[in-house]
Amino acid sequence: PKYKGADSLELLKNVNELARQKGFALGNCDCTIVAENPKLNPHVPEMQKNIARALECQESQVSIKATTSEKIGFVGREEGMKAYAVVLMQQL
């Protein structure tokens, strides 16, 4: 409930700042979004720009892929989406 309606890019900026305060910076991140609709591939370049800006890094450090679940499970029934992210942090 605390974060309902929160701006995800603002949350990401806050987490990035906390990491920097602890002596870490983003090396790279690899994100996969699983959704049947809307089709996300046309939006990936803009998403990449926004995330890179929030993380104060190069766009080349941010990888975003979109896929579907082939109509399987709650994602396939269009009841929600899933997202996975793997992040490499580097010590400053």
Side-chain angles (χ1 to χ4, degrees):
K2 179 179 178 180
Y3 298 108
K4 184 175 183 176
D7 181 328
S8 59
L9 288 175
E10 287 301 316
L11 292 174
L12 185 59
K13 287 177 187 178
N14 291 338
V15 169
N16 189 50
E17 180 56 32
L18 289 172
R20 285 182 185 268
Q21 289 173 10
K22 296 289 184 179
F24 292 92
L26 178 78
N28 62 57
C29 67
D30 181 51
C31 309
T32 302
I33 303 165
V34 185
E36 297 297 323
N37 279 302
K39 299 302 179 200
L40 296 175
N41 279 328
H43 305 285
V44 166
E46 189 67 24
M47 293 166 67
Q48 186 177 9
K49 285 179 191 175
N50 289 336
I51 291 171
R53 186 170 41 250
L55 293 175
E56 300 175 356
C57 70
Q58 300 297 313
E59 288 179 37
S60 62
Q61 292 173 266
V62 179
S63 170
I64 302 174
K65 300 176 291 298
T67 189
T68 69
S69 67
E70 303 296 328
K71 305 289 184 190
I72 297 171
F74 76 93
V75 174
R77 293 188 302 270
E78 298 185 27
E79 296 172 356
M81 298 177 173
K82 291 193 280 188
Y84 302 97
V86 177
V87 177
L88 173 67
M89 300 298 290
Q90 298 176 328
Q91 208 162 19
L92 296 173

